[in-house]
């Protein structure tokens, strides 16, 4: 690409690509896509985004195209890879100066430099870190900030690398720059504090930004840069200094009010300090032991004593509670039952904790958690009145407990109560005793306190088993409180019902349940299971008698609720309903909303009947056919419920029938619609595969492939994952047939792995699919590899090496333990091998295997030995409690399938051992020993521990 002429045409294309006019936008995007693989294109982009005179949007787009190009074409083994000459030039151009005036563009440039550093630093880019450090020392404010921003992103990226060799390189880097990083942080921090005292807001904000960035660098260096950080005086000195700096910044927050431009970043910096401590505690629990005492004094002091009043804010309180919780429940700080077996570090940590958590300290923490943090706030009470459903969702906390105060408070209470129940039980019982009898509805403080105390008793139900006679308490106190009908007492009625729900599986006599049901019926006006037959009969009679469409819908809704509630217990009573519904369906031909209600009732009916629902197919299948046929006008109203009925029918079907298979003809048009119902459509496809893979795939796989290929051209990442999961399910159910039938889709999966797919969930699914093919259909993988090598114009070995390298590098994208084990089995299946490429990647394969062994190996409580927790040896019908739903037919099919799945039938421990023995036999002891020396010694030690006794 000629630079001068190319610059103008690329600039024009980028300008058009920022246009709102699709007539200009689309051709420009296509042209830019074609240039992605042209030599010199990225040099042109570099010149464009470094030209500060050009339009900001154009420069922004140039940075994004450059960044995407790194992901796709920077690796040496990538198809259409950039030449080494151009990469050398680009690396030099990226760090020529750090003077980008636009914050957003500066951040993106820092990120793309970090991406290059991940691949090239330090081997191909040794000058990067020295240049960054030199620029950070400079006097120019903008240059200093941009260099520090880049320094942070580079440090963050290098710290995230997983292979042992990369970790060692990062540790070498950390030891070389740690002193400088500490002095940089200390300098900017001092400047900020002095400028706040002098009320110099402009300079204070600038210094605070640099403090934040230098602290982010130190966080990564401290947590990931040292194998034994407790032996480094500078590291421990920095961590001790964190507490002093935290106190200074908290005091500083008194002077920096909410309107001050520094306030937001000040709070971010305070939180970052706590993250340094929490991260270090998580990664280096033993090295943290000297900091336990100070951490507890700091966190408890600010959260549970007057010292924190007026200083703390919610997120800081959450972080302090997380710090206390993590110390309290840390397994490394607990001695063994047999003290002689305990490590000295565990005994030391336990001693420190015991000395800190005295009776008065625990009493104060327990009381304050309940009487202060458990109290509902005015905002929560107002939300309850205005939006009860929103309040209920908010209060549960979900997965956000780390960041939301109420759930975090409850988790801390549970952990402390569990570890110190002997001290805290009398404290809580005393609080219960003080609130005996009905509370005064005119006293909101007393009502809120009772709600908080009952909350604590419910959370600690298992711990209080031997200390509370719940049956007596129910009869003498709680029952009466449920019957207080005053509007203000709803707070207590709600809490008491929740409290009984917590205790009912812990300690509640069955004889008391009818009494409880009566009270619940009065509260929620729902039918009791004891009267099921009569209630269902009366509801059915009412359904026949009423004439208004809306009334029938309401009755059907109640019937659906009853069926959903009692599940399989409904089976003896549905005969009349089953006979009446076809007639009602016919009568409601002009009333689509009533038909929607019928569909909902059928969904619950099929779930209640289970496999017996096959007796309804004569009526059921035509209903599904009509509801999901997009050529029929009623589908506008019926489609969503019709799809749900189709899905539950398949899940509960004992076997495929020709009629059930034929309905799938409706699916092609549904997939073309790309509507919000796509997820359900994919679930239906999966259900057919589980039900009868051979019949289904032979009839419909070809059409499905066409639909999927069209979908993948224009679909979200989530939608892409749903498509890929269908392929994954097909390969799991039938590895050979699945690969054959979905063969047209597998090259794109292969390309996604080789090109380093950016989205973790998509990459995880790609690796899951390829893991299945490699492990269970090796001949197909071999032919696919040959095909792709021809496409990429590479040697087969070179391409295989690139795949393995990417697989190892992106294992962190895989979060599901099953897929992680599958990847390990798949890569191990390449052994034994005399292939130099496989042997070159041996270290990475072993690293993955050891990680997976950590995931799946647990101690057998009977034998005390390690076992693979994913192994399943036989299928048993689960013993269900009254509250549990029975498994569907599809659940049973999945269980039987799992028995044949290598993930659940092959011991990873045994497989690793056998593959290593086979490799040793192939290479001989000397050759194998040399191969093992490429693996990090710590990884080898862990591997040997896992393989002991084999």
């Amino acid at each position: 690409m000629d630079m001068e002429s190319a610059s103008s045409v690329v600039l024009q294309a980028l300008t058009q690509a920022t246009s709102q006019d699709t007539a200009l936008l689309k051709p420009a995007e296509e042209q830019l896509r074609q240039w992605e693989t042209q030599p010199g294109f990225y040099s042109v982009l570099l010149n464009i985004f470094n030209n500060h005179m050009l339009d900001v949007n154009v420069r922004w787009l140039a940075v994004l195209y450059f960044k995407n190009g790194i992901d796709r074409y920077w690796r040496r083994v990538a198809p259409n890879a950039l030449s080494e000459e151009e990469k050398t030039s680009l690396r030099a151009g990226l760090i020529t100066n750090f003077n980008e005036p636009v914050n957003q563009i500066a951040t993106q440039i820092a990120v793309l430099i970090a991406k290059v550093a991940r691949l090239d630093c330090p081997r191909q880019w040794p000058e990067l870190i020295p240049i960054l450090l030199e620029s950070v020392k400079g006097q120019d404010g903008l240059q200093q900030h941009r260099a520090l921003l880049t320094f942070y992103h580079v440090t963050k990226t290098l710290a995230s690398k997983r292979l042992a060799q990369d970790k060692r390189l990062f540790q070498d880097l950390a030891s070389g720059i740690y002193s400088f990083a500490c002095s940089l942080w200390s300098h900017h921090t001092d400047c900020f504090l002095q400028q706040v005292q002098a009320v110099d807001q402009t300079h204070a904000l600038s210094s605070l930004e640099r403090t934040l960035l230098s602290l982010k660098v130190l966080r990564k260096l401290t947590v990931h840069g040292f194998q034994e950080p407790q032996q480094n005086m500078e590291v421990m000195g920095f961590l001790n200094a964190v507490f002093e700096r935290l106190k200074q910044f908290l005091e500083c927050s008194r002077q920096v009010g909410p309107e001050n431009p520094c306030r937001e970043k000040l709070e971010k910096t305070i939180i970052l300090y706590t993250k340094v401590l929490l991260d270090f505690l998580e990664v280096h629990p033993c090295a943290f032991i000297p900091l336990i005492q100070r951490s507890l004094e700091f966190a408890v002091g600010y959260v549970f004593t007057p010292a924190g009043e007026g200083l703390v804010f919610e997120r800081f309180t959450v972080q302090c509670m997380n710090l206390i919780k993590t110390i309290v429940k840390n397994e490394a700080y607990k001695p063994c039952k047999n003290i002689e077996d305990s490590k000295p570090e565990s005994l030391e940590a336990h001693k420190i904790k015991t000395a800190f958590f005295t009776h008065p300290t625990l009493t104060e923490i327990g009381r304050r958690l309940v009487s202060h943090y458990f109290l509902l706030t005015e905002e929560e009470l107002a939300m309850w009145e205005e939006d009860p459903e929103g309040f209920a969702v908010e209060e549960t906390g979900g997965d956000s407990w780390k960041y939301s105060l109420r759930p975090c408070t409850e988790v801390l209470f549970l952990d402390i109560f569990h570890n110190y129940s002997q001290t805290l039980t009398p404290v809580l019982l005393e609080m219960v005793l003080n609130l005996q009898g009905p509370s005064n509805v005119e006293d909101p403080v007393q009502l809120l306190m009772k709600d908080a105390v009952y909350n604590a008793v419910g959370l600690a139900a298992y711990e209080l088993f031997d200390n509370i006679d719940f049956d007596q308490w129910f009869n003498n106190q709680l029952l009466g409180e449920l019957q207080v009908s005053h509007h203000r007492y709803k707070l207590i009625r709600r809490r008491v019902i929740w409290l009984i729900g917590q205790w009912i599986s812990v300690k509640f006599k069955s004889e008391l349940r009818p009494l409880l049901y009566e009270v619940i019926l009065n509260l929620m006006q729902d039918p009791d299971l004891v009267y099921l037959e009569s209630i269902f009969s009366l509801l059915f009679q009412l359904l026949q008698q009423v004439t208004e469409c809306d009334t029938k819908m309401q009755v059907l809704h109640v019937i659906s609720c009853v069926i959903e509630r009692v599940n399989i217990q409904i089976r003896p009573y549905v005969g009349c309903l089953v006979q009446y519904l076809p007639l009602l369906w016919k009568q409601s031909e002009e009333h689509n909303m009533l038909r929607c209600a019928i569909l909902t009732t059928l969904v619950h009916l099929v779930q209640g009947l289970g496999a017996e629902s096959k007796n309804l197919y004569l009526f059921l299948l035509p209903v599904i056919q009509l509801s999901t046929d997009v050529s029929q006008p009623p589908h506008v109203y019926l489609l969503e419920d019709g799809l749900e009925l189709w899905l539950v029918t398949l899940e509960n079907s004992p076997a495929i029938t020709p009629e059930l298979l034929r309905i799938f003809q409706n699916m092609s048009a549904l997939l073309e619609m790309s509507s919000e119902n796509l997820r359900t459509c994919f679930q239906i496809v999966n259900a057919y595969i589980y039900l009868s893979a051979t019949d289904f795939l032979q009839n419909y796989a070809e059409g499905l492939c066409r639909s999927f290929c069209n979908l993948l051209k224009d679909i979200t990442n989530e939608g892409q994952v749903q498509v890929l999961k269908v392929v994954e399910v097909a390969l799991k159910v039938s590895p050979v047939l699945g690969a054959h039938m979905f063969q047209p889709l597998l090259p794109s999966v292969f390309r996604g792995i080789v090109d380093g797919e950016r989205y973790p969930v998509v990459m995880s699914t790609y690796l899951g699919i390829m893991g299945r093919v490699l492990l269970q259909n090796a001949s197909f993988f071999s032919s696919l590899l040959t095909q792709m090598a021809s496409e990429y114009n590479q040697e087969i070995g070179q391409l295989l090496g690139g795949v393995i390298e990417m697989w190892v590098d992106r294992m962190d994208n895989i979060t599901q333990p099953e897929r992680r084990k599958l990847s390990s089995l798949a890569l191990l299946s390449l052994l034994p091998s005399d292939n130099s490429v496989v042997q070159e990647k041996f270290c990475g394969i072993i690293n993955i295997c050891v990680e997976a062994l950590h995931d799946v190996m647990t101690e057998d409580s009977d034998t005390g030995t390690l076992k693979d927790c994913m192994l399943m040896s036989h299928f048993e019908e689960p013993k269900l409690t009254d509250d549990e739903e029975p498994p569907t037919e599809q659940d049973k099919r999945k269980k039987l399938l799992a028995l044949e799945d290598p993930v659940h039938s092959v011991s990873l421990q045994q497989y690793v051992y056998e593959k290593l023995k086979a490799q040793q036999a192939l290479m001989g002891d000397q050759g194998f020993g040399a191969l093992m020396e490429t693996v990090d010694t710590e990884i080898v030690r862990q591997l040997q521990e896992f393989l002991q006794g084999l």
Side-chain angles (χ1 to χ4, degrees):
M1 199 176 249
D2 175 63
M3 291 293 285
E4 288 188 20
S5 60
S7 292
S8 59
V9 293
V10 173
L11 181 59
Q12 183 183 8
L14 287 168
T15 304
Q16 292 174 344
T18 62
S19 169
Q20 301 298 312
D21 183 352
T22 54
L24 295 173
L25 174 68
K26 292 294 182 184
E29 286 182 336
E30 178 59 28
Q31 180 62 75
L32 289 165
R33 191 187 65 77
Q34 291 176 9
W35 284 337
E36 282 181 359
T37 56
Q38 290 295 311
F41 176 61
Y42 296 96
S43 300
V44 173
L45 291 177
L46 177 65
N47 290 337
I48 289 173
F49 67 69
N50 274 339
N51 186 344
H52 303 162
M53 304 297 291
L54 297 175
D55 179 73
V56 169
N57 293 322
V58 171
R59 296 174 57 231
W60 168 265
L61 197 57
V63 173
L64 292 186
Y65 269 96
F66 194 109
K67 193 172 70 166
N68 293 340
I70 295 170
D71 291 329
R72 294 172 186 161
Y73 309 113
W74 199 276
R75 288 177 182 274
R76 184 171 45 83
V77 296
N80 303 303
L82 288 166
S83 69
E84 291 303 319
E85 293 76 19
E86 185 172 4
K87 287 197 289 186
T88 301
S89 170
L90 292 172
R91 284 192 293 260
L94 286 170
I95 54 175
T96 300
N97 50 55
F98 298 96
N99 59 353
E100 172 54 54
V102 181
N103 284 333
Q104 293 90 334
I105 294 179
T107 301
Q108 290 299 322
I109 291 173
V111 169
L112 70 84
I113 289 174
K115 283 179 173 286
V116 175
R118 180 179 179 86
L119 299 170
D120 290 358
C121 185
R123 290 186 184 86
Q124 286 81 32
W125 208 3
E127 67 273 20
L128 172 62
I129 301 298
I131 287 176
L132 285 174
L133 296 181
E134 194 60 39
S135 301
V136 166
K137 295 174 187 175
Q139 297 304 307
D140 182 279
L142 179 65
Q143 185 184 47
Q144 186 188 70
H145 179 274
R146 298 318 192 213
L148 187 53
L149 178 68
T150 307
F151 186 33
Y152 159 60
H153 280 285
V154 168
T155 308
K156 176 184 175 183
T157 301
L158 295 180
S160 69
K161 298 186 78 173
R162 303 169 51 257
L163 294 179
Q165 190 175 14
D166 294 323
K167 288 180 178 179
R168 283 196 295 270
L169 286 171
F170 185 71
Q171 287 165 8
D172 291 343
L173 169 68
S175 62
I177 65 173
Y178 197 80
S179 294
F180 172 74
C182 282
S183 61
L184 190 70
W185 160 74
S186 186
H187 166 72
H188 289 308
T189 304
D190 288 337
C191 287
F192 165 70
L193 293 171
Q194 289 163 12
Q195 288 153 357
V196 168
Q197 291 295 328
V199 198
D200 182 356
Q201 286 189 7
T202 304
H203 288 101
L205 181 58
S206 176
S207 293
L208 183 56
E209 287 175 350
R210 286 158 174 74
T211 300
L212 190 59
L213 284 171
S214 54
L215 183 58
K216 286 180 176 180
V217 171
L218 268 177
R219 176 189 176 194
K220 295 299 178 185
L221 295 176
T222 303
V223 174
H224 301 288
F226 300 90
Q227 200 161 1
E228 295 182 342
Q230 68 272 28
Q231 295 181 6
N232 187 300
M233 290 179 62
E234 279 187 310
V235 171
M236 300 310 290
F238 162 68
L239 289 167
N240 276 293
V242 163
F243 296 100
E244 293 306 319
R245 291 304 197 185
L246 262 172
K247 289 176 183 177
Q248 291 173 336
F249 273 64
L250 286 164
E251 286 297 330
C252 184
S253 67
R254 291 187 195 274
Q255 300 167 256
V256 180
E259 297 80 19
N260 192 304
C262 290
R263 181 70 194 195
E264 184 183 350
K265 274 199 166 57
L266 177 62
E267 290 191 359
K268 281 185 177 178
T269 308
I270 290 170
I271 294 303
L272 186 59
Y273 277 119
T274 62
K275 286 181 176 179
V276 171
L277 296 173
L278 281 164
D279 287 359
F280 192 79
L281 170 56
E282 181 183 351
V283 178
H284 303 288
C286 291
F288 194 87
I289 290 172
L291 304 169
I292 291 177
Q293 177 77 21
R294 200 165 183 186
S295 298
L296 290 173
E297 287 172 353
F298 176 86
V300 171
Y302 276 104
V303 176
F304 295 109
T305 74
E309 290 177 7
L311 292 177
V312 299
F313 50 96
E314 182 171 305
R315 185 73 194 278
F316 174 70
T317 303
V318 169
Q319 292 292 93
C320 286
M321 287 186 175
N322 282 336
L323 189 58
I324 299 167
K325 174 188 72 69
T326 310
I327 291 172
V328 166
K329 67 183 296 187
N330 201 305
E331 291 298 321
Y333 300 162
K334 294 179 181 178
C336 301
K337 290 181 180 178
N338 183 0
I339 296 296
E340 294 176 357
D341 296 335
S342 303
K343 295 179 179 178
E345 297 88 356
S346 300
L347 293 174
E348 184 186 353
H350 182 67
K351 183 180 176 182
I352 296 169
K353 286 199 303 178
T354 305
F356 179 83
F357 286 113
T358 60
H359 190 282
T361 300
L362 285 168
T363 301
E364 181 59 27
I365 290 173
R367 286 188 188 281
R368 195 162 172 81
L369 275 170
V370 177
S371 64
H372 178 72
Y373 290 106
F374 275 22
L375 294 180
L376 289 172
T377 64
E378 289 183 15
E379 291 83 1
E380 288 170 322
L381 291 171
M383 186 179 184
W384 186 2
E385 292 293 339
E386 295 164 12
D387 181 12
E389 284 188 39
F391 168 75
V393 171
E394 185 75 23
E395 202 201 23
T396 58
D399 295 329
S400 63
W401 67 264
K402 283 187 178 180
Y403 310 109
S404 180
L405 183 56
R406 178 165 301 284
C408 178
T409 304
E410 293 178 355
V411 170
L412 176 61
F413 172 80
L414 271 172
D415 287 327
I416 287 188
F417 205 97
H418 176 73
N419 283 277
Y420 301 102
S421 58
Q422 285 187 324
T423 302
L424 290 174
T425 295
V427 175
L428 187 53
L429 292 179
E430 183 188 348
M431 297 177 86
V432 173
L433 196 61
N434 290 338
L435 292 166
Q436 285 288 60
S439 297
N440 182 359
V441 294
E442 303 299 331
D443 186 351
V445 174
Q446 190 182 21
L447 290 174
L448 287 170
M449 182 60 73
K450 178 172 279 190
D451 174 76
V453 172
Y454 282 9
N455 186 15
V457 174
L459 290 171
Y462 285 96
E463 305 294 338
L464 295 170
F465 179 87
D466 294 321
N467 303 100
I468 289 182
D469 186 340
F470 194 79
D471 297 331
Q472 185 182 26
W473 194 29
F474 172 76
N475 274 318
N476 297 345
Q477 169 94 10
L478 302 179
L479 194 57
E481 298 204 278
L482 286 173
Q483 293 165 339
V484 178
S485 58
H486 195 284
H487 172 72
R488 288 179 187 158
Y489 220 75
K490 69 177 185 180
L491 180 70
I492 305 303
R493 291 197 302 272
R494 166 187 165 274
R495 181 58 71 189
V496 169
I497 280 293
W498 173 87
L499 173 62
I500 294 168
Q502 294 293 105
W503 274 85
I504 202 162
S505 61
V506 177
K507 194 178 188 181
F508 194 75
K509 285 181 181 174
S510 56
E511 303 94 88
L512 293 174
R513 294 197 178 200
L515 189 58
L516 173 62
Y517 293 150
E518 283 184 33
V519 180
I520 293 174
L521 284 173
N522 290 331
L523 291 176
M524 59 189 290
Q525 299 178 343
D526 268 1
D528 189 348
L529 301 188
V530 173
Y531 311 111
L532 179 60
E533 183 175 6
S534 58
I535 283 175
F536 199 78
S537 176
L538 289 168
L539 283 170
F540 175 62
Q541 289 175 29
L542 182 61
L543 181 63
Q544 290 176 299
Q545 290 166 4
V546 297
T547 55
E548 290 292 327
C549 186
D550 284 350
T551 313
K552 283 186 180 289
M553 286 169 60
Q554 289 178 18
V555 176
L556 276 171
H557 175 67
V558 176
I559 288 175
S560 293
C561 289
V562 173
I563 296 173
E564 183 180 21
R565 174 76 180 274
V566 302
N567 207 286
I568 61 173
Q569 297 175 61
I570 202 67
R571 291 177 185 177
Y573 315 117
V574 296
C576 294
L577 179 65
V578 167
Q579 290 174 15
Y580 176 64
L581 282 179
L583 175 63
L584 184 60
W585 179 264
K586 189 173 182 180
Q587 291 173 346
S588 61
E589 192 169 353
E590 302 301 319
H591 302 282
N592 285 309
M593 297 313 292
L594 177 54
R595 283 195 160 185
C596 286
I598 296 171
L599 286 170
T600 302
T601 303
L602 284 170
V603 166
H604 296 304
L605 195 56
V606 169
Q607 289 171 327
L609 290 172
E612 293 178 21
S613 61
K614 68 180 185 299
N615 299 325
L616 303 183
Y617 281 5
L618 201 60
F619 165 55
L620 202 58
L621 300 189
V623 167
I624 296 171
Q625 170 70 40
L626 174 69
S627 305
T628 60
D629 185 350
V630 297
S631 67
Q632 298 291 332
H635 90 271
V636 175
Y637 302 95
L638 307 180
L639 180 58
E640 186 172 348
D641 294 313
L643 287 170
E644 186 67 22
L645 179 59
W646 191 358
L647 178 61
V648 299
T649 300
L650 289 165
E651 289 175 339
N652 289 278
S653 176
I656 195 72
T657 68
E659 296 77 17
L660 191 53
L661 193 60
R662 198 174 300 125
I663 299 176
F664 195 80
Q665 292 170 0
N666 284 0
M667 184 58 72
S668 178
L670 290 167
L671 291 174
E672 285 177 19
M673 288 172 62
S674 296
S675 68
E676 65 274 7
N677 296 308
L678 264 182
R679 179 182 289 272
T680 310
C681 290
F682 292 135
Q683 289 175 316
I684 288 169
V685 175
N686 287 337
Y688 270 108
I689 294 172
Y690 282 121
L691 181 59
S692 182
T694 303
D695 291 332
F696 174 69
L697 291 175
Q698 287 178 348
N699 279 279
Y700 294 110
E702 186 178 342
L704 259 184
C705 269
R706 283 197 300 271
S707 296
F708 284 176
C709 287
N710 290 331
L711 271 174
L712 289 170
K713 292 174 184 174
D714 184 24
I715 197 170
T716 63
N717 290 312
E718 185 183 359
Q720 190 177 354
V721 169
Q722 295 302 318
V723 172
L724 294 168
K725 279 185 176 177
V726 173
V727 181
E728 192 174 19
V729 167
L731 290 167
K732 184 188 294 187
V733 175
S734 180
V736 175
L737 183 61
H740 176 68
M741 292 299 180
F742 287 110
Q743 184 173 0
L745 290 170
L746 293 175
S748 64
V749 173
F750 196 100
R751 288 186 207 102
I753 295 172
V754 174
D755 297 350
E757 166 62 44
R758 286 176 296 162
Y759 296 99
V761 181
V762 177
M763 187 60 155
S764 171
T765 316
Y766 280 160
L767 294 174
I769 290 170
M770 206 49 63
R772 289 277 168 200
V773 175
L774 175 56
L775 180 62
Q776 294 180 270
N777 197 347
S779 59
F780 185 90
F781 179 82
S782 179
S783 62
L784 179 62
L785 184 64
T786 303
Q787 175 190 339
M788 300 310 294
S790 174
E791 179 181 315
Y792 281 121
N793 196 25
Q794 290 186 13
E795 294 291 329
I796 291 175
Q798 182 187 6
L799 185 59
L800 176 61
V803 170
I804 299 172
E805 183 179 331
M806 186 63 74
W807 207 321
V808 172
D809 189 54
R810 300 296 290 275
M811 265 296 284
D812 278 347
N813 290 170
I814 306 176
T815 55
Q816 304 93 327
E818 289 83 359
R819 275 199 191 145
R820 290 175 68 82
K821 179 178 176 181
L822 174 65
S823 282
S824 301
L825 293 171
L827 289 175
L828 278 169
S829 71
L830 295 169
L831 303 179
S833 175
D834 55 3
N835 185 315
S836 61
V837 172
V838 174
Q839 292 182 11
E840 184 184 327
K841 306 301 178 186
F842 181 79
C843 169
I845 294 173
I846 296 303
N847 282 357
I848 283 181
C849 293
V850 171
E851 280 191 21
L853 284 167
H854 279 291
D855 292 335
V856 305
M857 299 302 286
T858 56
E859 188 173 325
D860 190 318
S861 55
D862 296 328
T863 64
T865 58
L866 291 174
K867 66 172 184 178
D868 189 329
C869 66
M870 289 191 186
L871 290 180
M872 293 172 59
S873 56
H874 59 285
F875 175 69
E876 287 183 359
E877 285 281 358
K879 295 175 182 176
L880 303 174
T881 65
D882 293 339
D883 300 327
E884 290 180 312
E885 293 184 4
T888 64
E889 294 300 302
Q890 179 162 300
D891 291 332
K892 296 174 186 175
R893 287 191 279 271
K894 286 182 177 180
K895 282 282 180 68
L896 289 170
L897 178 65
L899 293 177
E900 301 173 3
D901 186 345
V903 173
H904 298 292
S905 61
V906 174
S907 162
L908 180 59
Q909 179 191 35
Q910 187 68 36
Y911 195 67
V912 171
Y913 176 76
E914 290 171 358
K915 287 294 183 179
L916 290 180
K917 291 297 287 183
Q919 188 69 34
Q920 185 177 24
L922 177 69
M923 299 182 70
D925 292 347
Q926 186 175 354
F928 182 70
L931 193 62
M932 288 300 294
E933 284 178 6
T934 65
V935 183
D936 182 70
T937 53
E938 175 60 21
I939 299 294
V940 173
R941 185 191 64 76
Q942 293 175 25
L943 179 64
Q944 288 169 341
E945 283 186 10
F946 282 122
L947 301 184
Q948 270 182 356
L950 292 180

